[in-house]
Amino acid sequence: MYPSSFQDDMTSATPSKLPFQAEVAQLLHLVTHSLYSNKEIFLRELISNASDACDKLRFEAINDSALYEDQPELSVHVSFDEKARTLTIRDNGIGMSRQEAIDHLGTIAKSGTKDFMSRLTGDQKADAQLIGQFGVGFYSGFIVADKIVVESRRAGLPADQGVRWTSTGAGDFEVEDIARAERGTSVILHLREDAGEYLNAWKLKSVIGKYSDHISLPILMEKEEWKEGENDQPGGMVKTGEWEAVNKASALWTRPKKDITPEQYIEFYKTISHDFEAPLAWSHNRVEGSTEYTQLLFIPAKAPMDLWNRERGSGVKLYVKRVFIMDDAEALLPSYLRFVKGVIDSADLPLNVSRELLQESRDVKAIREGSTKRVLSMLEDLARQEKEGESEEDKAKFGKFYAEFGAVLKEGLGEDFGNRERLAKLLRFASSTTDTVTVSLADYKARMKEGQEAIYYITADTLAAAKNSPQLEIFRKKGIEVLLMTDRVDEWALNYMQEFDGTPMQSVAKGSVDLGSLQDEAEKKAAEEAAESFKPLLEKLKEALKDKAEDVRVTTRLVDSPACLVVKDGGMSTQLARMLKQAGQPVPEVKPVLEVNAEHPLVKKLEGSAHFDDLANILFDQALLAEGGLPADPAAYVRRVNALLA
Ligand code: ADP
């Protein structure tokens, strides 16, 4: 417990009351209402913070060893006081200044916080899951405590510049200046009525063993001894004043693989990621060669809230010879693998390495290449298990991964040329014959028709729009499978993948359809004749639509629809252009090509119609509507249709 002498020489300034940032208040409410079924994780979170604080001190002390003061041995003490009903986690790490306590314990700096809050439903189970993904950290203390007192002093500040932070987890907290001889932080939890079980050494040891065994610092608890009762008083455990380590205190990744159980890997993952769910896969290796390092990398099962923030950096922590250097070291993995979590411990980098230096280091380049390859082989393993896995759980893993991270992986096509082929093999799509996103390019190729020369695909905003697009009609009629792509990145990514395994990728909405040898002679001849006899009509259409369409031509790709829009080969699809426009980006104005179905009654009717201009415009606008676009002048469209209906 806290030395009582400490209270005496306190120079207590008047405490000031400050409100929590709105998001914190909301989070706290959730923590206390949704997480009680998994109470004990609070200890993992607080010990993890203590360990991070020690890592930070060690890192800052590389350049300023005075920060160690007279305490170079870093550790975490866990103690409890049954009478006062308090549990204290004390570290001698970096500590916090008054301002840092206000900033770090009163606000959430994480990106994605707003989005997270907006996804909460009020359903406790679902919300508990979401909080797990978000990570509650320090605030998890309020699962078991109705009041938390944090006393801290930042390393390097004088003893009279300590801070006490107090809150009951309602709307606000108090801070006051205190004197604090020792550097670092004590988190004092005033336990709730129903959390008395944590006032027990045995219970605490078992929770620490479960969650924090791999923490590289010693976690110390006071030894207890059995004492016989006297004068009719019952016997009991008494504290001896001697502290002993209750964890192994060796960083998990430095231990031999064979000594680590799957449960330990999973717990380690949860500690570094703040994820409540087990990872899908991990890989632990010592790499020796031109540069030496240990990698322990995890594939999470769930995407974090801020996955789409490309600036967030990877989830990989960099250590140099077991000294923590930095979080989220973006130089260690390419951005498209930013979902990976883990640790890389280099034997060669200098301890004072900076982010800038990392970008240029040859060792880092080798680590990045090696780690990228490692992640790709983990994913290939998961993909293999999809077919060959021993359990249903194993078989489902790749699908789970892909649903969460598939779209991010596609960024790699444009980002990592060297691994493009390996990446392409990992991609999965829905198709005109398979609704689920499970078709690999290899599967597709294996099913290609005799004489089919390209892998056909279409991009659209939604699966329904893709499936029902008129451009698919001829393919459906001929029984040719078309991949349906609905991720925002697809169009962009496909720019970097013109072919797969020697077969070109061909959009069915770009250029004219050339089904090559899939079309028989009679069909080709009929198409040519139609084009010839339609020439005068096409000229008239071109004239009527000269502001809207780049060209008008007859097509064989339509069966049931009268017309559709396509773009020229190599052009930007209308769908991508629309998306960019919505995002406020400059888009070159390209007019699409209108293709008409010579066999369609509506098209036949055009010839000699008194309403030629109206019909031509309706034809064009409907083709636009069919692919999810909007007529440039919707009111004019409605007027024209109404005129015809009347
Ligand atoms: P996270 O650890 O994910 O950043 P937390 O809510 O757990 O979120 O903690 C918020 C911040 O408070 C930490 O980033 C750190 O700056 C500070 N903090 C928490 N615990 C400690 C501690 N024991 N020592 C020093 N700083 C701490």
Side-chain angles (χ1 to χ4, degrees):
M1 244 333 276
Y2 233 144
S4 55
S5 63
F6 200 73
Q7 311 274 329
D8 303 335
D9 56 20
M10 207 166 64
T11 56
S12 172
T14 31
S16 33
K17 222 183 193 91
L18 294 161
F20 282 119
Q21 178 197 25
E23 282 84 358
V24 177
Q26 213 176 336
L27 184 67
L28 281 173
H29 181 82
L30 273 163
V31 164
T32 48
H33 288 86
S34 302
L35 287 182
Y36 51 81
S37 61
N38 196 9
K39 274 198 198 115
E40 62 191 26
I41 59 109
F42 82 93
L43 201 53
R44 171 185 78 201
E45 300 293 311
L46 295 180
I47 289 179
S48 161
N49 279 351
S51 160
D52 287 350
C54 291
D55 277 347
K56 282 182 201 156
L57 176 75
R58 206 178 278 140
F59 177 64
E60 286 193 20
I62 293 169
N63 292 320
D64 181 7
S65 60
L67 290 177
Y68 280 126
E69 300 173 11
D70 54 356
Q71 273 193 41
E73 302 292 334
L74 302 177
S75 61
V76 181
H77 286 73
V78 176
S79 57
F80 60 93
D81 179 335
E82 282 153 296
K83 282 209 196 76
R85 289 187 64 83
T86 56
L87 171 65
T88 300
I89 293 100
R90 168 162 61 95
D91 66 69
N92 57 357
I94 193 73
M96 282 176 275
S97 67
R98 180 190 170 102
Q99 194 54 47
E100 284 169 332
I102 293 173
D103 292 345
H104 295 156
L105 306 182
T107 59
I108 308 176
K110 249 181 265 196
S111 59
T113 303
K114 267 227 167 68
D115 177 46
F116 162 69
M117 296 293 172
S118 72
R119 281 165 61 183
L120 296 170
T121 58
D123 171 52
Q124 286 181 357
K125 240 181 145 173
D127 288 351
Q129 177 102 51
L130 273 179
I131 306 177
Q133 273 170 269
F134 183 72
V136 279
F138 169 76
Y139 303 109
S140 64
F142 285 105
I143 306 173
V144 293
D146 47 24
K147 177 171 147 186
I148 301 183
V149 179
V150 178
E151 297 186 347
S152 190
R153 175 171 66 77
R154 198 176 200 294
L157 289 180
D160 63 356
Q161 289 190 29
V163 59
R164 177 182 295 131
W165 177 104
T166 309
S167 177
T168 58
D172 50 26
F173 60 90
E174 271 182 19
V175 276
E176 61 190 307
D177 298 334
I178 58 166
R180 183 174 161 92
E182 67 266 44
R183 154 198 92 218
T185 305
S186 295
V187 177
I188 305 152
L189 305 168
H190 292 258
L191 295 178
R192 288 176 194 278
E193 209 49 59
D194 62 357
E197 58 191 309
Y198 298 103
L199 298 169
N200 175 303
W202 186 83
K203 171 75 184 181
L204 290 170
K205 275 184 204 168
S206 92
V207 178
I208 293 170
K210 179 166 163 198
Y211 290 117
S212 306
D213 208 26
H214 53 76
I215 295 270
S216 53
L217 299 164
I219 300 169
L220 305 169
M221 284 183 64
E222 201 174 342
K223 254 191 183 158
E224 290 186 334
E225 254 172 21
W226 177 259
K227 190 156 177 278
E228 290 297 339
E230 280 167 19
N231 309 331
D232 291 344
Q233 292 294 314
M237 298 301 284
V238 294
K239 302 203 167 114
T240 60
E242 220 181 301
W243 295 83
E244 61 175 350
V246 296
N247 66 331
K248 285 208 183 65
S250 75
L252 184 93
W253 65 91
T254 61
R255 298 185 213 159
K257 262 159 109 158
K258 63 173 177 31
D259 297 346
I260 310 175
T261 64
E263 290 71 30
Q264 286 172 322
Y265 278 119
I266 293 172
E267 279 317 321
F268 179 74
Y269 165 78
K270 288 182 177 173
T271 311
I272 59 163
S273 66
H274 297 286
D275 190 348
F276 286 23
E277 232 178 286
L280 287 176
W282 59 84
S283 178
H284 181 192
N285 313 280
R286 251 190 93 81
V287 183
E288 283 164 18
S290 60
T291 181
E292 220 177 285
Y293 60 96
T294 300
Q295 58 185 186
L296 172 52
L297 302 172
F298 295 89
I299 312 276
K302 272 264 157 46
M305 300 295 154
D306 56 349
L307 182 66
W308 293 105
N309 176 4
R310 281 179 54 89
E311 259 102 74
R312 70 191 278 279
S314 77
V316 176
K317 289 174 188 282
L318 174 65
Y319 284 73
V320 172
K321 297 183 201 73
R322 256 152 264 173
V323 177
F324 169 77
I325 305 295
M326 66 180 79
D327 274 318
D328 305 339
E330 62 270 7
L332 298 179
L333 274 178
S335 168
Y336 75 95
L337 297 180
R338 59 187 176 273
F339 54 85
V340 173
K341 304 264 185 233
V343 165
I344 286 175
D345 191 344
S346 157
D348 304 316
L349 288 170
L351 279 171
N352 59 359
V353 67
S354 65
R355 275 181 202 268
E356 293 68 38
L357 265 174
L358 280 183
Q359 302 291 351
E360 286 153 23
S361 152
R362 282 185 39 208
D363 287 321
V364 171
K365 202 160 165 264
I367 292 176
R368 180 185 169 105
E369 273 167 22
S371 302
T372 302
K373 294 223 151 69
R374 181 57 61 182
V375 174
L376 292 180
S377 37
M378 270 196 270
L379 297 178
E380 284 158 0
D381 261 353
L382 289 183
R384 215 173 357 260
Q385 284 180 37
E386 203 175 20
K387 297 205 165 97
E388 299 164 10
E390 283 174 10
S391 63
E392 286 312 308
E393 199 191 337
D394 285 348
K395 286 184 176 159
K397 280 182 177 164
F398 190 73
K400 267 192 177 167
F401 160 79
Y402 203 81
E404 295 287 319
F405 304 110
V408 186
L409 201 63
K410 287 178 191 161
E411 293 173 13
L413 294 174
E415 201 180 326
D416 186 356
F417 300 124
N419 287 307
R420 202 181 296 164
E421 271 167 40
R422 287 180 78 175
L423 279 168
K425 288 188 186 144
L426 290 169
L427 300 184
R428 299 289 183 271
F429 303 98
S431 84
S432 51
T433 57
T434 315
D435 269 355
T436 49
V437 182
T438 50
V439 182
S440 72
L441 293 168
D443 292 342
Y444 181 98
K445 270 195 78 163
R447 294 200 284 257
M448 278 185 8
K449 289 244 158 185
E450 181 84 27
Q452 183 179 344
E453 284 153 11
I455 297 173
Y456 292 108
Y457 69 89
I458 184 163
T459 56
D461 298 335
T462 63
L463 198 58
K467 261 176 99 165
N468 298 321
S469 64
Q471 282 96 339
L472 247 54
E473 288 170 3
I474 185 67
F475 293 89
R476 201 162 271 140
K477 186 175 164 197
K478 294 205 166 275
I480 301 169
E481 189 173 14
V482 177
L483 298 175
L484 310 178
M485 307 198 177
T486 52
D487 274 334
R488 278 166 162 256
V489 308
D490 283 329
E491 176 96 20
W492 173 85
L494 279 161
N495 277 327
Y496 298 95
M497 195 175 65
Q498 310 283 355
E499 54 128 52
F500 172 76
D501 191 17
T503 308
M505 303 285 298
Q506 171 68 51
S507 163
V508 303
K510 281 185 186 174
S512 50
V513 259
D514 180 9
L515 294 179
S517 41
L518 289 169
Q519 238 172 351
D520 57 39
E521 283 310 312
E523 283 173 322
K524 278 187 193 160
K525 199 144 176 264
E528 277 161 27
E529 280 172 14
E532 198 47 41
S533 67
F534 257 69
K535 254 194 179 146
L537 179 69
L538 291 181
E539 288 307 320
K540 268 180 86 180
L541 275 171
K542 258 188 241 180
E543 181 54 30
L545 297 172
K546 64 174 185 291
D547 296 334
K548 293 180 171 173
E550 165 82 23
D551 193 10
V552 183
R553 61 189 181 216
V554 176
T555 183
T556 52
R557 80 174 93 214
L558 299 173
V559 179
D560 304 316
S561 302
C564 70
L565 299 176
V566 295
V567 293
K568 287 196 290 188
D569 247 333
M572 186 188 284
S573 79
T574 42
Q575 179 237 354
L576 179 63
R578 228 180 3 260
M579 210 172 82
L580 290 175
K581 239 184 227 162
Q582 278 164 6
Q585 305 230 21
V587 187
E589 208 46 63
V590 274
K591 287 189 259 176
V593 175
L594 180 73
E595 292 196 343
V596 294
N597 175 0
E599 299 298 318
H600 200 278
L602 203 85
V603 177
K604 290 186 168 153
K605 221 172 156 182
L606 269 171
E607 192 92 73
S609 163
H611 307 284
F612 186 87
D613 255 29
D614 284 343
L615 277 176
N617 276 289
I618 289 173
L619 207 59
F620 182 94
D621 286 348
Q622 283 188 342
L624 193 57
L625 283 167
E627 61 170 52
L630 263 187
D633 183 352
Y637 169 76
V638 172
R639 208 163 47 237
R640 286 189 180 114
V641 171
N642 286 348
L644 281 182
L645 289 175

